[in-house]
Amino acid sequence: RGVGAGPAELRVRVRLPDGQVTEETLQADSDADSITLELRKPDGTLVSFTADFKKDVKIFRALILGELEKGQSQFQALCFVTRLHRNEIIPSEAMAKLRQKNPRAVRQAEDVRAPEQLHMDIAVNFTQGGLLSPHLHNVCAEAADAIYTRQEDVRFWLEQGVDGSVFEALPKALEQAELPRCRQVGDRGKPCACHYSLSLAWYPCMLKYCHSRERPTPYKCGIRSCQKSYSFDFYVPQRQLCLWDEDL
C-alpha cells in the first residue's frame, strides 16, 4: 500500500491454545504508527489488542457476552491499558507489508512468551483518555466505566507529559489484599477483586534477518510469531460486574 492508503489489513487463521481454530484480523496503520489485532474466542468473546507506538500505549479490550438466562446484560466490555515496550511486536510499517502465500493455512505461534500477571490499580478517566492515546475513545467506548491501568505505567506516562487528570485512584483495599476474590463473594452488590485472562494466540513479535553473500548487511526476510497470555486483577464496585469469575 502507498502512503496515505489507509490501514493495511490481513486475515489469518490461527490455532488457539485449546486447539480450536479462529480467524484473526491484523491491521497496521503506518501513518498513525499503530497496529490492531482482533479475534473472537470460541465462547463468543471478542478480544482486541491495539499498539500505539507514538504514545507507548497498548490497549486490550474484551467484549464478553452475557448469559441472558442468568439475567446478565447482553455484553460487558473491559479495557486494560499498559505501557508498550518496543520489543513486544513488530513495527507498524513492517506489519503493513505482511502478506501470506496461503490464506487457508492455519498458523500456530513459533514461540510462547512467558505469561504476564498484571495488578490493575488505577482507573482511566474515559473523557480525558484521548490525552493518553487517540485510540482510546474508539476502542474503549463500550467500556467507559471499566478502563484500568497500573501505577508503574502511570508514572512512566506522567514523565512523558501525559496530564494527571487522565488517571483516578481505585479504592486502596485491593492493594492490601483485604478485598475478597469475586468468586468467593455471594452478594452481587458487594465490591470484590475481579480476575480476567486473555491470550493473543498469534502475533508477529519479531523481524527475521537473513544473511547472503550478495548483500553486505543482514536484511529483513520475514517474521517470528508469538503467543502470549495476560491475567488482570482489578477492583469492581459490585460482584455482578464480574460474573464470569464464577466459572473457574
Side-chain angles (χ1 to χ4, degrees):
R1 301 249 182 152
V3 174
E9 187 174 285
L10 189 67
R11 290 179 185 273
V12 180
R13 298 178 78 218
V14 298
R15 192 171 299 285
L16 298 171
D18 65 3
Q20 296 194 60
V21 173
T22 189
E23 189 177 72
E24 196 174 275
T25 304
L26 300 147
Q27 272 196 343
D29 188 333
S30 37
D31 293 346
D33 200 7
S34 67
I35 288 169
T36 301
L37 178 158
E38 192 166 85
L39 66 93
R40 192 175 291 281
K41 287 166 61 175
D43 67 3
T45 300
L46 194 62
V47 171
S48 78
F49 166 81
T50 301
D52 178 350
F53 292 94
K54 282 185 179 174
K55 298 284 193 170
D56 300 304
V57 167
K58 61 179 189 274
I59 305 169
F60 300 90
R61 185 197 64 194
L63 294 179
I64 304 155
L65 291 180
E67 296 180 50
L68 298 175
E69 66 277 10
K70 287 188 182 176
Q72 298 174 15
S73 56
Q74 205 165 353
F75 69 84
Q76 193 173 335
L78 295 170
C79 263
F80 302 107
V81 188
T82 60
R83 178 184 174 184
L84 176 68
H85 295 273
R86 293 287 143 166
N87 58 349
E88 291 187 71
I89 193 163
I90 66 171
S92 61
E93 82 274 1
M95 184 81 93
K97 291 173 187 161
L98 278 191
R99 300 290 178 268
Q100 54 181 340
K101 292 191 181 92
N102 179 6
R104 299 301 302 156
V106 176
R107 315 276 164 193
Q108 190 140 12
E110 297 161 276
D111 296 337
V112 177
R113 288 195 164 173
E116 258 189 87
Q117 178 84 38
L118 299 114
H119 177 65
M120 313 302 278
D121 49 3
I122 300 280
V124 176
N125 181 343
F126 178 71
T127 56
Q128 301 293 317
L131 299 172
L132 179 59
S133 166
H135 301 274
L136 199 117
H137 275 152
N138 273 345
V139 177
C140 301
E142 293 97 342
D145 298 321
I147 310 172
Y148 298 92
T149 188
R150 303 186 296 169
Q151 190 83 52
E152 60 208 77
D153 297 326
V154 169
R155 273 197 290 272
F156 167 76
W157 291 320
L158 291 175
E159 284 167 14
Q160 304 300 303
V162 173
D163 195 273
S165 65
V166 174
F167 310 108
E168 295 171 7
L170 285 165
K172 287 274 183 281
L174 190 55
E175 282 174 29
Q176 297 145 11
E178 288 169 9
L179 213 56
R181 281 289 300 269
C182 286
R183 69 170 91 151
Q184 299 161 338
V185 174
D187 184 342
R188 288 192 171 188
K190 286 267 169 72
C192 52
C194 190
H195 180 83
Y196 189 76
S197 297
L198 58 82
S199 180
L200 301 183
W202 186 94
Y203 66 99
C205 50
M206 281 182 281
L207 294 170
K208 276 184 189 165
Y209 288 87
C210 294
H211 302 263
S212 84
R213 289 177 185 167
E214 290 78 47
R215 299 193 187 193
T217 55
Y219 60 96
K220 292 176 199 166
C221 60
I223 56 127
R224 206 161 172 76
S225 59
C226 287
Q227 176 210 316
K228 187 171 169 79
S229 297
Y230 298 85
S231 294
F232 303 95
D233 288 304
F234 54 100
Y235 168 90
V236 289
Q238 295 179 325
R239 168 74 180 91
Q240 64 190 18
L241 298 173
C242 183
L243 292 176
W244 57 84
D245 210 0
E246 62 197 14
D247 301 326
L248 302 174

